[in-house]
Amino acid sequence: MNLASTSVTVGTGPLEFADITAVARHDAPVVLAAEALDGVAATRRIIAALAQDVHPHYGISTGFGALATTFIESDRRAQLQASLVRSHAAGSGPEVEREVVRALMLLRLSTLMTGRTGVRSVVAETYAALLNAGITPVVHEYGSLGCSGDLAPLAHCALAVMGEGRVRDAAGTLMGGGEALAAAGITPVVLAEKEGLALINGTDGMLGMLVLALADLARLLTTADIAAAMSVEALLGTDAAFAGDLQALRPQLGQAASAANLRALLAGSPLLASHAGPDDPTVQDAYSLRCAPQVHGAARDTMDHAALVAGRELASAVDNPVVTLDGRVLSNGNFHGAPVGYVLDFLAIIAADVASMSERRTDRHLDAARSKGLPPFLAHEVGVDSGLMIAQYTAAGIVSVLKRLAVPASVDSIPSSAMQEDHVSMGWAAARKLRHSIDGLGRVLAIEVMTASRSLDLRAPLVPGPATGAVRDLVRTVADGPGHDRFLSPEIEAIVELVASGAVRDAAAGVVGPLA
């Protein structure tokens, strides 16, 4: 299916995970639900009435944060909103990835369309127009404390809606926001009461990265099962520990799914059959082989919890103040990123641990004392060739980084805004490091797949099972089989791409059917 050709409708209800990845990664067009726009206009009338009140209302006729008690006269409020956005667009560092910014903008748009923020319809329409034109505001790595939401990243996006700041057009060309909007025929928005505040109070950046991470981890955990199956087979292990009745004795859902994958992947393996039966000397495989369902399964269960939190957040209208269903405008703390920040940190932990187990399996292939007859380091000419020795170093180095990235960001807090914001979530930081963790996990799994593929080749004339053999054959389209030492880095990168694209998962699933 061409995801870019399938539009995503944004209304009052929550977006689906697939909607977010379609817009963020595949440029699916955005359509605004007419009835939701009517609700946006109705709520705006409440804000307009309060703007005429002689009594101050936070975010409408007052300053912000520590300046919430300062009354602002009506003729200065447009300047107030624009000043808020300009001052909060204070990010620094490298540019954030395009898909993250698009996810962030889509999620802010989704909250605007709930009708709980009090913005005018034109604001939501302009956000949709930028997304559909492929205009991506430049958002920087640093600037968000995750409370009040992702202020600086969201402010950079709001600045673009105003026709200011820097953006990249659909072709990726860096230019001023006004220039890009003019080229696309989009009129910049002049912000009215409360609108600047409504555009920057939200967990949209960290939530967008969480949803994208869940999509990536779902693919990588299936790939981890495939890599483990290849290693069990090539290292002459046993699939007996993966039996369904044994797994049922510990009814963890993720563990059962992972074990079922391993059973399917190893079914019909001549290599396993070659040493199976009462004479099999393998009583118990090492933990990195035998306990793969327990670790990969626990990672799945953690993902399920993270998806539950993400789903609830997608159903939220995060703003401060917020317009309630009965028309009240109330301050609140729903912008605090703790729920999202915690699960982002949890996912960095599982990425590190799954990668750690994968690296241990890779190392077993290379150690002649544990590989059951394979040459040292899988070298072609032992002593002359180093084989895949240094590929394991690469995996080990990545795993070491992932362990450091697993240290939670959400336990940190640095007060800001003159102690008004005296406890912050650091959820944005948790999300940023998780993206590095996911990249590292994919690379470690790719090295295991490469290593196991060579081990399977070296078991000839015995052959692998249909599913693992299909993955080995896929690897051989980008990397040669056993032989004298050669330039290894390009082969590693090519297999990393096979993992990242889902090709490894698809090769196995093409034989055994869908995998969990």
Side-chain angles (χ1 to χ4, degrees):
M1 182 176 71
N2 183 0
L3 294 175
S5 66
T6 305
S7 64
V8 169
T9 299
V10 183
T12 57
L15 293 166
E16 301 291 335
F17 289 6
D19 295 335
I20 296 161
T21 56
V23 173
R25 289 181 166 165
H26 306 291
D27 288 353
V30 172
V31 177
L32 303 182
E35 65 276 15
L37 282 173
D38 291 340
V40 170
T43 304
R44 180 62 197 180
R45 288 192 286 272
I46 297 172
I47 299 299
L50 291 174
Q52 304 304 315
D53 195 346
V54 296
H55 298 291
H57 296 276
Y58 176 66
I60 300 171
S61 53
T62 73
F64 311 108
L67 304 176
T69 59
T70 303
F71 184 80
I72 307 297
E73 297 293 342
S74 59
D75 61 346
R76 305 297 302 279
R77 291 175 191 166
Q79 179 184 347
L80 170 68
Q81 301 297 321
S83 295
L84 174 71
V85 171
R86 291 168 183 150
S87 65
H88 283 58
S92 181
E95 290 183 36
V96 170
E97 303 85 358
R98 181 177 188 268
E99 67 175 30
V100 171
V101 180
R102 287 182 61 81
L104 178 156
M105 292 182 70
L106 176 65
L107 291 172
R108 183 63 346 205
L109 173 60
S110 180
T111 288
L112 299 180
M113 291 294 286
T114 65
R116 308 272 57 84
T117 69
V119 302
R120 293 167 296 157
S121 299
V122 68
V123 178
E125 291 165 345
T126 306
Y127 262 75
L130 262 69
L131 285 167
N132 289 338
I135 296 172
T136 306
V138 172
V139 173
H140 298 278
E141 179 81 12
Y142 306 109
S144 175
L145 301 182
C147 189
S148 304
D150 293 316
L151 289 174
L154 283 164
H156 280 277
C157 295
L159 200 62
V161 171
M162 295 164 53
E164 301 181 19
R166 295 184 301 161
V167 303
R168 291 192 181 273
D169 66 7
T173 303
L174 183 66
M175 62 180 64
E179 180 186 356
L181 266 61
I186 301 171
T187 302
V189 173
V190 178
L191 299 178
E193 291 93 345
K194 194 186 178 299
E195 289 179 337
L197 198 59
L199 296 183
I200 66 173
N201 265 287
T203 59
D204 307 290
M206 62 185 92
L207 177 58
M209 285 185 274
L210 172 58
V211 172
L212 295 173
L214 288 169
D216 293 335
L217 284 169
R219 179 187 70 253
L220 290 176
L221 290 183
T222 302
T223 305
D225 287 340
I226 294 167
M230 296 174 74
S231 289
V232 168
E233 193 176 26
L235 292 169
L236 303 183
T238 176
D239 61 351
F242 309 143
D245 58 344
L246 289 176
Q247 301 300 314
L249 295 174
R250 190 189 198 188
Q252 298 285 358
L253 300 182
Q255 177 179 326
S258 179
N261 280 351
L262 286 161
R263 292 195 300 272
L265 292 162
L266 292 169
S269 166
L271 260 170
L272 287 189
S274 70
H275 60 90
D279 296 329
D280 186 355
T282 303
V283 178
Q284 292 189 129
D285 285 324
Y287 285 10
S288 60
L289 303 173
R290 187 178 8 139
C291 300
Q294 286 73 18
V295 172
H296 298 177
R300 281 180 165 81
D301 291 338
T302 302
M303 272 187 59
D304 287 345
H305 171 63
L308 179 65
V309 172
R312 290 169 177 162
E313 198 73 4
L314 289 175
S316 304
V318 176
D319 192 14
N320 182 47
V322 70
V323 183
T324 64
L325 291 172
D326 60 1
R328 293 169 296 146
V329 180
L330 297 176
S331 293
N332 65 90
N334 285 338
F335 49 71
H336 198 287
V340 181
Y342 292 161
V343 295
L344 287 162
D345 280 333
F346 295 164
L347 295 181
I349 290 171
I350 68 167
D353 200 40
V354 172
S356 178
M357 181 176 252
S358 172
E359 183 276 328
R360 288 294 78 205
R361 291 191 296 264
T362 294
D363 187 62
R364 296 188 74 82
H365 288 274
L366 305 178
D367 184 352
R370 296 178 291 150
S371 66
K372 298 182 181 177
L374 293 171
F377 306 109
L378 307 183
H380 181 71
E381 186 177 351
V382 177
V384 174
D385 292 316
S386 294
L388 299 184
M389 177 194 296
I390 308 303
Q392 182 266 332
Y393 286 35
T394 301
I398 295 170
V399 168
S400 182
V401 171
L402 297 190
K403 291 175 181 178
R404 295 193 292 275
L405 291 173
V407 175
S410 57
V411 299
D412 187 30
S413 177
I414 298 177
S416 57
S417 191
M419 293 300 287
Q420 177 75 359
E421 299 170 8
D422 60 352
H423 183 276
V424 298
S425 76
M426 298 298 183
W428 173 271
R432 295 306 297 162
K433 69 184 183 66
L434 176 59
R435 288 182 68 82
H436 294 293
S437 297
I438 289 171
D439 176 72
L441 172 59
R443 294 175 185 280
V444 172
L445 292 173
I447 290 171
E448 182 184 1
V449 168
M450 177 182 72
T451 305
S453 294
R454 182 178 288 204
S455 292
L456 289 173
D457 285 336
L458 291 170
R459 292 296 184 190
L462 293 171
V463 295
T468 51
V471 174
R472 187 273 316 273
D473 293 344
L474 173 68
V475 169
R476 289 292 159 258
T477 66
V478 298
D480 291 337
H484 284 295
D485 286 353
R486 53 187 180 265
F487 186 20
L488 206 52
S489 180
E491 295 189 2
I492 294 174
E493 293 305 302
I495 301 169
V496 167
E497 179 55 34
L498 293 179
V499 168
S501 69
V504 167
R505 175 200 58 198
D506 295 344
V511 174
V512 301
L515 294 164

